[in-house]
Each structure stands twice: as structure tokens, then as C-alpha cells.
Amino acid sequence: MTHDEYVSQDGTALAGLLRSGEVTALELIDVAIKRLELVNPLVNAVVYRMDDEARAAVVGSPPTGVFAGVPFVAKDLQSNYAGHPTSRGSRLAANHLQDTDTELVRRLRATGVSVLGKSNSPEFGLLPYTEPELWGPCRNPWSPDRTPGGSSGGSAASVAAGIVPIAGGGDGAGAIRIPASCCGLFGLKPSRGRVPPGPVRGEPWQGAVVEHVLTRSVRDSAAMLDATHGPEPGAPCRIAPPARPFSREPGEDPGRLRIAWTTEPMLGSAVHADCADAVVEAVTLLEGLGHEVAERSPRVDGPSFARAYLCMMAGEVGADLEEWRRALGRKPRRGELEPLTWALGLVSGAISARELTDSLRTLETCGWAVGRFFTDWDILVTPTLAEPPPRLGALPPSRMERLQLRLLGMIGSGRLVKLAGLIDRMAEGAFDFTPWTPVFNFSGQPAMSVPLYWNAEGLPVGVHFAARVGDEATLLRLAGQLERARPWFKRLPHVEAPSMGRGATRAEP
């Protein structure tokens, strides 16, 4: 199989070729690895190699499952693979081997995917771009001087660069949808509770984080959701199961939907003309498809939401570092963490239980307000991001802000760092790049970024769609309709491959 033949098929089609005997799992692995070794020096998407294990797993016993033999890259952040580290983009965790698979990984393995490696991500998934000190910056295949987004940036770059058709992602403030927009991919964040997060941690980021995948086709995303959704043993809350398999939805007519739209930021202050134009063009397309469309939007107290979200994140970082203290038998050291992570960890020790609870109530209130908006509307359409993919290094914290964070970290006092106003200063611009996506993590609603627009520079600009809690079916039906009306699958970046960037680390046998 040539690479051109490989990238002309989605994961569903590749699995079909394997089942029919037209290709073997080893052939699929080999063409994917050849592509990885050609383009990864440029994009720096895959930072840890597992292809030896993938090859060994298919020798003598052809894989089974809906994605049997399909090459896959895992996100190196939350899902644990036994015998391999989960670096979380951090020097602190880079060499810590995991004892067991998480529940989602067990379900992913059952689909038959061949896991080739793990993808680049920012430290602890805290940032909407992928430039960790540990692995170096991940680059956008559409333009290597641009970000692929984050925190699932390495996964998105792996798919966009033609290494794999499907890659793992996790979304706590837009981290599937952000890189989907930056890399011209389809990215669905399922409803809260749809995909199992445990058993290591039951509700990451107070339930805001949901894991799924990034793909080029809608049907691959739907089929993977069929394979991975549903509560795990011990889960305290359960979301209603779908009425029928998700994989049936992309081919179905969504009917006439009531669709609201806006280009006004919920959290930030401005939106780039390209992102607004993408929505306006999508609205015209939706009207042409027969949907009822009107300019409406829910109201969100942006400054209150931003500060509450950062307070929650600081608490989560502090708890993460406490877990690492227990695991290592010592406190994490400042040199093992990036300045932002260290500073948030310090601040967490100065946040009172009352402050944290008040912040969580603020987030819940915003989430409920957004949820109530959908009593009158089936779908809300916005830009995914406030601007096209920015250049590497352009998003905060800047070099000066990093220096300030280092100086604050040297103080070693959470109280003093808090008094320095770290949370308040960060909240002022924290969501300027992502003024819509985080809201739907706390409302719990499913949302997706759809690649419907490329700007004059040839950069992808995603359009964001959200639906009611538990209603992934409507999103997938609408996505399938949009995919047929405005096909994007064959639109791929031309990736040159000079010798640059950092190579992936191969797992020890």
C-alpha cells in the first residue's frame, strides 16, 4: 500500500480492507511508520514510539474489532497504557511507568487499533497550544510556523499530516475542538459522562474533561464513540444511552433544525474577521439546507467564568502535585515543572475551601444558563476560535510573563503568589483565543468543530456547533449532512520534511 492509497481512506475503510484481505495489519503499520519517520521531524507530533509492540500484537493473530489494524496515536496525557509512561508533557512524569490500562484504553484496544505511539501535549494539558519544554513545540502541518492548537495538538498534527486516520484526544476547555479547528479536522467533544474517565480519576477537572478522538471523517468519530461510550463499573452517574448506534447517525437526514448563531465572544473580547466569515458562510449553507436560522446567543458572565475556571484549574494542579508527592515519596521540585504549572500549584495552597466552592458554583451557574438556552434551540453555531492558527510562541504566557512566573515561583509561597494577583491577571486574557469552547465543558453539552472554511492564507478555520446534553446524535446527523454538502476529506496539507525538530522516543522492549 502506498501512502497516497493509505490517506485516501478513513479508518473505517482501512479496517474494511483488512477484513477483506486486501491489506494486512503489518502493511498498515509499515506505511504509517514510514510516514511518521518522514514528517515527524518537521511536525514533532509523536513523542513516544510503541510501534514495536503494535507489530508484535498482530503477528500470527490478525486483529479484530471495528478498527482492526488501523494505525492510531494516543494522547500522552490522561489515558494510561500499562508498561508505558504517561508523560503529561512534563519532566516530572516522563519516566513513570503505568501499571494498568485505564478503562478507556481497554475499550480502545478492543476496537483493534494498532497504537503506534503517544502524541505531544502541553504540560498537564493546561494550555490551548502545544509547546512543552519537555518535548519542544508541535507544528501545524498546514503551516509549520503555526500552532496545531492544544492540548491535543500532537494528535491533531498526526492526523492532519497523514500519519494516522484517528488519534486520541481529551477536552477540558476545548482541547479536542481547538486543534481540530487549527488542523482542518473533525473534532467532537461528547457529553459529560458519555465516555469513561476512570478508574484512576473519576471526574478530571471537576467533570469538565471528556476524552474522544480527532478524525478526518465524521463516521470514524461516530464509530469510535459506539465502541467507547457507556459507564464503567463504579461510576456514580450515568448518562442515558443512545437510542441507536452513533455510527448510523452521519448518514441520516437531521430534519429541519432550529439553529441559533453568533460571532460575539462569550468569554473574550474580539474575533478575527476570518472566524466571523466562517460562521456567516456556514449559516448561509445551513439556510440552504433548509434549517431555521436566527442570530441568538446565551448570556455568560465572562470575567466571572474566567476567574472561576482558573481557580478550579489551580486546585486541580495542586491536587495533581499532591498525588505525585505520594507516588514519588517526595515533593515535586520546581525544576521538574514549567513556571505556570509550578505557580498554579503554589496558588492552590492559598485558595480556601470557600473560594474553591464559590468558583465551582459560578461555573455551574454559567453551565446551567447555557443549558437552558437549548430549550428553544437545537443547535448553537459560533466560531471555534477567535482567530486562525497563531504563530508558534504568539499565545500567552509571553517570554516576559514566563520570566515573571519564574520569579513568582522562586518566592515559594502560595499566599504571596496569590497576593501578586496571578489568577486575576491570567483571567483577563485567558480565554481570548478560546471564547466559546470552555463554556460547554461545564454545561456538559456535546460540541464539535467542523472544518468548513479555509482563509486566504490557506489556513483552516473551524466552525463550532453545540447541542443539548446527551444529544450527540443530532450533532452527528448535522455533521454528516455538512460533510456531504461541503466535503473536506480530500483537503490535505502538503507537508515538507526537512531534518528539524525532535524525534520520538522509542519504547524499550
Side-chain angles (χ1 to χ4, degrees), residues 310 401 404-405 408 417 420-430:
L310 289 170
E401 288 168 331
Q404 292 172 343
L405 286 169
L408 286 172
V417 173
L422 176 65
I423 294 291
D424 292 324
R425 285 192 290 111
M426 288 179 60
E428 290 176 2

Side-chain angles (χ1 to χ4, degrees), residues 259-266 294-300 369-370 372-374 377 379-382 436 440:
I259 299 178
W261 68 275
T262 184
T263 60
E264 290 297 316
M266 290 182 179
E295 189 172 4
R296 302 282 192 280
S297 66
R299 293 185 177 276
V300 174
V370 172
R372 285 195 296 271
F373 178 80
F374 286 79
W377 301 95
I379 298 288
L380 174 65
V381 181
T382 72
W436 297 280
F440 299 96

Side-chain angles (χ1 to χ4, degrees), residues 62-377:
T64 60
V66 65
F67 289 114
V70 174
F72 179 86
V73 166
K75 184 177 180 181
D76 193 25
L77 186 64
Q78 185 170 321
S79 293
N80 295 338
Y81 288 75
H84 299 281
T86 302
S87 80
R88 299 167 66 86
S90 176
R91 290 180 292 265
L92 178 67
N95 299 312
H96 188 79
L97 299 183
Q98 301 298 324
D99 296 327
T100 59
D101 289 348
T102 49
E103 177 63 23
L104 178 58
V105 169
R106 286 193 283 270
R107 297 184 189 190
L108 284 168
R109 289 192 190 276
T111 69
V113 293
S114 295
V115 183
L116 304 185
K118 309 188 85 175
S119 65
N120 204 344
S121 66
E123 187 169 62
F124 285 26
L126 296 177
L127 297 167
Y129 54 91
T130 304
E131 301 173 32
E133 293 179 3
L134 174 64
W135 301 120
C138 183
R139 298 173 181 272
N140 193 321
W142 289 93
S143 181
D145 65 339
R146 306 272 179 163
T147 181
S151 61
S152 307
S155 289
S158 297
V159 176
I163 298 171
V164 293
I166 310 171
D171 193 313
I176 288 175
R177 293 160 289 159
I178 294 164
S181 178
C182 289
C183 293
L185 303 175
F186 178 73
L188 170 70
K189 178 196 79 71
S191 299
R192 179 184 294 199
R194 179 67 75 192
V195 177
V200 177
R201 188 169 299 123
E203 288 194 308
W205 285 19
Q206 303 299 311
V209 174
V210 183
E211 292 187 272
H212 191 42
V213 292
L214 290 112
T215 62
R216 286 168 55 210
S217 74
V218 176
R219 70 175 183 174
D220 277 359
S221 184
M224 188 61 83
L225 192 57
D226 274 334
T228 57
H229 82 88
E232 61 190 298
C237 301
R238 296 173 180 244
I239 192 168
R244 59 186 179 183
F246 290 116
S247 55
R248 288 182 53 184
E249 303 301 350
E252 297 292 328
D253 186 340
R256 189 169 190 260
L257 300 175
R258 298 199 69 207
I259 299 178
W261 68 275
T262 184
T263 60
E264 290 297 316
M266 290 182 179
L267 305 178
S269 57
V271 58
H272 193 283
D274 288 345
C275 300
D277 288 347
V279 168
V280 171
E281 189 173 295
V283 167
T284 301
L285 175 60
L286 291 165
E287 288 177 322
L289 292 170
H291 299 292
E292 178 186 345
V293 178
E295 189 172 4
R296 302 282 192 280
S297 66
R299 293 185 177 276
V300 174
D301 183 342
S304 295
F305 182 97
R307 193 187 186 287
Y309 206 99
L310 289 170
C311 185
M312 178 275 294
M313 282 178 57
E316 290 286 324
V317 169
D320 285 344
L321 297 184
E322 176 60 22
E323 283 188 8
W324 278 105
R325 184 195 65 77
R326 292 194 293 266
L328 298 172
R330 62 170 176 82
K331 290 183 179 181
R333 303 183 180 102
R334 182 162 57 89
E336 294 173 312
L337 296 162
E338 294 182 20
L340 174 62
T341 311
W342 181 256
L344 287 174
L346 289 176
V347 169
S348 71
I351 295 173
S352 69
R354 182 177 61 191
E355 286 177 287
L356 180 58
T357 302
D358 183 62
S359 294
L360 294 177
R361 289 179 178 178
T362 296
L363 295 172
E364 290 167 359
T365 299
C366 290
W368 279 63
V370 172
R372 285 195 296 271
F373 178 80
F374 286 79
T375 58
D376 297 319
W377 301 95

Side-chain angles (χ1 to χ4, degrees), residues 52-63 114:
D52 286 345
E53 181 180 292
R55 283 193 175 100
V58 301
V59 172
S61 56
S114 295

Side-chain angles (χ1 to χ4, degrees), residues 447-463:
M448 63 185 183
S449 182
V450 183
L452 295 175
Y453 188 91
W454 273 255
N455 68 7
E457 296 178 82
L459 297 172
V461 176
V463 180

